Amino acid sequence: MAKVKGAIVIDVDKCKGCEVCVEACPTDVIGMADEVNIKGYHFAEVKNPEDCIGCANCAIVCPDGVITVYRKKVKA
Amino acid sequence: MKEENITTTDIISDENLVYKKTDLMTDKTLSYCPGCGHGTAHRIIMEVVEEMDMTEDTIGIAPVGCSVLAYEFMNIDMQQAAHGRAPALATGIKRTWPDKMIFTYQGDGDLAAIGTAETIHACNRGENFLIVFINNGIYGMTGGQMAPTTLPGMKSSTSPYGRDVKLMGNPLKITELVAELPGTYYVTRQAVHTPANVRKTKRAIKTAFKNQMENKGGLNFVEIVSNCNSGWKMSPVDANNWMVENMFPFYPLGDIKLDGEKVNKE
């Protein structure tokens, strides 16, 4: 069966750390960073890149549109 | 069967792109608080404009309120109206250029308080444009004062013990009110706090623009129930949960008027 693998890129300097994407992710890929960005927010970061399925839920709910999503079919 | 060893860097390439912020949103950092629904609402409107290929033909009207700077973020032709007068300005623009797609973007203080007269009369006249109404039940920009849409018992900086309906009056369901008017064609209430709701809201905005494009003869009104986590004094995620528990029972989501006919909820 064909499997999909996803990846996200977060524009950390524009992230305001609202954590809405963390709630929206079905596979718990996203977590909050311990360090802060240029504005002083704990930005979102990819904690479990292996689990990402590229569903784009995080990017769709992100109020600031900082997430870009990629998805690729992988033959298993 | 052997699984291909694919790393994240292999996936990140233009051919695998699924979703990125539309170019119709400028690269300026949004002036909204973390987790505010305004950003999502801005973006989906711009996505619809892009998908319907009407970038050159759309004129947006920014209100007064938190979203007063909407023209800084939406990369299309915009106007900024005096407080509450966006529907009046939209009427003028639409009548001057009937072929242009016009939308106003207004908050609850702008649309349901100071702009009530303009809103109701534009709806009653059946002007052919779209009103996007962001309802967060509070005056966000000025510091979380009580708005006409504040729920009974809800705390705000001017109702610190909760809204007392006997003293302060009842909340105004302006969306139900305009649905009663013969001039409205499509009236709906949506939200943008989950991916599913964002998709539904986007479909609603698309329907509204299509109605306008096909000149269906009536005003299209899309309410988006949103959060105001700074005004409500909650974290963004808690504010979204509070909204689901408290706002949605009073402001139920769904279509209120479709194709000029009120939707029978029973």
Side-chain angles (χ1 to χ4, degrees), chain A residues 3 5-7 9 14 16 18-19 23 41 55-57 59-65 68-72 75-76, chain B residues 1 3 6 8 11 13 16-21 27 30 32 34-36 39-40 43 194-195 198-199 236-237:
Chain A
K3 230 174 100 181
K5 275 202 71 166
V9 177
K14 278 196 174 172
K16 292 177 184 163
C18 68
E19 303 185 26
E23 291 287 306
Y41 295 116
C55 67
N57 276 3
I60 286 170
V61 292
C62 176
D64 294 276
T68 309
V69 185
Y70 300 89
R71 183 168 58 211
K72 191 176 183 170
K75 280 176 201 150
Chain B
M1 292 248 217
E3 197 167 308
I6 285 190
T8 311
I11 304 170
S13 72
N16 298 328
L17 183 69
V18 179
Y19 189 95
K20 95 185 235 293
K21 188 189 79 171
D27 285 331
L30 296 173
Y32 308 118
C36 177
T40 316
R43 199 179 67 243
T194 64
V198 174
R199 290 190 175 99
V237 172

Side-chain angles (χ1 to χ4, degrees), chain B residues 235-248:
Chain B
S235 76
V237 172
D238 289 346
N240 279 343
N241 293 336
W242 191 90
M243 176 173 75
V244 172
E245 283 164 24
N246 298 281
M247 295 281 278
F248 291 173

Side-chain angles (χ1 to χ4, degrees), chain B residues 71 119 175 195 256 262 266:
Chain B
Y71 55 81
T119 307
T175 309
I256 300 165
K262 278 201 78 183
E266 279 128 38

Side-chain angles (χ1 to χ4, degrees), chain A residues 1 8 33 46 59-60:
Chain A
M1 206 183 96
I8 58 171
V46 182
I60 286 170

Side-chain angles (χ1 to χ4, degrees), chain B residues 16-87:
Chain B
N16 298 328
L17 183 69
V18 179
Y19 189 95
K20 95 185 235 293
K21 188 189 79 171
T22 165
D23 291 336
L24 290 188
M25 287 294 286
T26 59
D27 285 331
K28 287 180 183 145
T29 305
L30 296 173
S31 55
Y32 308 118
C33 305
C36 177
H38 270 310
T40 316
H42 280 22
R43 199 179 67 243
I44 56 176
I45 296 171
M46 288 302 100
E47 283 173 6
V48 171
V49 169
E50 189 177 41
E51 284 166 22
M52 292 178 75
D53 198 19
M54 50 190 204
T55 314
E56 304 282 314
D57 298 316
T58 308
I59 301 171
I61 320 250
V64 171
C66 288
S67 48
V68 63
L69 294 173
Y71 55 81
E72 294 275 356
F73 311 127
M74 297 183 183
N75 202 0
I76 55 167
D77 291 338
M78 297 283 289
Q79 266 278 3
Q80 203 274 314
H83 202 355
R85 274 62 185 170

Side-chain angles (χ1 to χ4, degrees), chain A residues 5 10 14 19 23 28-29 31 35 41 44 47 49 52 56-57 61 73-74 76:
Chain A
K5 275 202 71 166
I10 300 168
K14 278 196 174 172
E19 303 185 26
E23 291 287 306
D28 289 329
V29 170
E35 59 267 44
Y41 295 116
K47 296 272 189 196
C52 183
N57 276 3
V61 292
K73 268 189 189 158
V74 184

Side-chain angles (χ1 to χ4, degrees), chain A residues 5-8 10 22 25-32 45-54, chain B residues 8:
Chain A
K5 275 202 71 166
I8 58 171
I10 300 168
V22 178
C25 180
T27 53
D28 289 329
V29 170
I30 310 171
M32 304 312 288
E45 66 175 11
V46 182
K47 296 272 189 196
N48 308 307
E50 289 303 306
D51 293 337
C52 183
I53 52 171
Chain B
T8 311

